[in-house]
């Protein structure tokens, strides 16, 4: 998929954890092509979600592309387990600690044949991504402080950075996707679209409504 086409990615974090297989099917039936999985370690962020076993379980139940967002320290130490679990893209935070380095971790993701993503927290400037920009397939600009679903979209803090990442990409002939994550609804997705995003992670706004198909349709229409 090219880096301009808009896509809505349901985030499993907002699903019913008591019925994961059914929830994954609900997302697929609602038209999702990519599913976003939030891995939290209770250290890099103030919450604990799930690990590689969940990614593998989801892989077993769907053909969707799995977009794994690692909000963990030492992602390089755990990396092989997420590769083995069937991730399609693995995104790592530039702010986290590594046994090796951000660069080595991105290179390992690529050499395993996966798509490699880099993530910036709202407070982290685009400048921090520049040393790695030639190594990545995707740049995730967090639109909330990571850790929890259901937070408010931080427009003023993140939209100028998103536009900067888009302009830099165009000026340098690069091809990375621009993803936004946190507080994405039909009201905020068009704002992010206008500033360059093509991948829209939607937790509450996709799994929340009873009619997920309608919700996905409305979200897609808002960025078309
Ligand atoms: C936030 C996670 C998000 C989360 C978004 O830490 O990275 O992926 O699921 O949830 P909503 O869409 O509810 O803001
Ligand atoms: Zn996420």
């Amino acid at each position: 998929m090219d880096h301009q086409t808009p896509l809505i990615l349901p985030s499993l974090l907002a699903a019913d954890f008591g019925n994961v297989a059914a929830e994954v099917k609900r997302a697929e039936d609602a038209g999702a092509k990519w599913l976003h999985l939030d891995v939290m370690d209770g250290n890099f962020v103030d919450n604990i979600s799930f690990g590689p076993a969940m990614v593998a379980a989801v892989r077993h139940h769907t053909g969707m592309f799995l977009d794994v967002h690692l909000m963990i320290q030492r992602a390089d130490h755990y990396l092989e387990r997420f590769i083995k679990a069937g991730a399609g893209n693995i995104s790592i935070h530039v702010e986290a600690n590594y046994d090796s380095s951000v660069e080595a971790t991105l290179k390992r993701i690529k050499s395993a044949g996966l798509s490699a993503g880099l993530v910036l927290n709202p407070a982290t400037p685009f400048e921090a991504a520049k040393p790695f920009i030639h190594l990545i397939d995707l740049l995730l600009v967090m639109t909330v402080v990571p850790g929890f679903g259901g937070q408010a979209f931080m427009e003023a803090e993140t939209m100028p950075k998103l536009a900067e990442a888009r302009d830099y990409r165009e000026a340098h002939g690069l091809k990375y996707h621009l993803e936004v994550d946190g507080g994405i609804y039909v009201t905020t997705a068009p704002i992010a679209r206008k500033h360059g995003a093509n991948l829209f992670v939607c937790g509450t706004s996709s799994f929340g409504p009873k009619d997920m198909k309608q919700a996905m349709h409305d979200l897609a229409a808002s960025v078309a």
Side-chain angles (χ1 to χ4, degrees):
M1 202 196 56
D2 73 75
H3 60 281
Q4 310 281 5
T5 309
L7 198 67
I8 307 299
L9 287 68
S11 172
L12 190 71
L13 194 65
D16 175 2
F17 281 12
N19 294 291
V20 172
E23 289 286 76
V24 168
K25 189 174 185 313
R26 186 159 76 104
E28 198 158 23
D29 290 348
K33 301 281 180 256
W34 289 28
L35 184 69
H36 185 81
L37 294 105
D38 288 306
V39 176
M40 304 179 181
D41 66 352
N43 184 359
F44 180 71
V45 290
D46 189 28
N47 197 7
I48 301 174
S49 58
F50 49 75
M54 176 67 100
V55 178
V58 169
R59 171 80 294 152
H60 188 68
H61 285 281
T62 181
M64 282 187 286
F65 183 85
L66 302 183
D67 175 33
V68 176
H69 176 193
L70 298 181
M71 286 162 274
I72 65 176
Q73 303 289 13
R74 303 178 70 222
D76 47 352
H77 177 78
Y78 296 100
L79 193 60
E80 299 306 319
R81 305 178 211 190
F82 288 101
I83 293 170
K84 199 163 163 234
N89 175 79
I90 297 180
S91 292
I92 61 165
H93 272 263
V94 74
E95 307 89 358
N97 298 325
Y98 295 85
D99 291 351
S100 57
S101 64
V102 170
E103 181 174 340
T105 308
L106 289 170
K107 283 183 171 162
R108 172 58 196 140
I109 297 170
K110 297 292 297 173
S111 76
L114 274 60
S115 163
L118 189 65
V119 196
L120 302 176
N121 277 337
T124 306
F126 175 63
E127 205 61 33
K130 278 189 188 164
F132 314 106
I133 210 81
H134 292 275
L135 293 170
I136 65 173
D137 301 292
L138 179 161
L139 184 71
L140 168 49
V141 174
M142 288 305 300
T143 42
V144 298
V145 176
F148 298 90
Q151 303 183 78
F153 182 70
M154 297 169 69
E155 180 174 352
E157 297 88 338
T158 64
M159 289 301 101
K161 176 168 56 181
L162 181 58
E164 190 185 347
R166 184 225 10 230
D167 295 346
Y168 188 90
R169 181 184 68 191
E170 301 313 315
H172 292 81
L174 297 167
K175 286 206 161 72
Y176 48 85
H177 292 283
L178 284 169
E179 184 174 53
V180 284
D181 183 5
I184 304 296
Y185 294 83
V186 290
T187 46
T188 51
I191 302 170
R193 178 68 179 151
K194 203 179 82 195
H195 289 83
N198 70 298
L199 302 177
F200 303 85
V201 176
C202 298
T204 309
S205 60
S206 69
F207 277 106
K210 234 190 167 65
D211 189 344
M212 189 170 184
K213 193 169 192 164
Q214 185 66 48
M216 292 286 290
H217 177 271
D218 293 346
L219 286 160
S222 80
V223 295

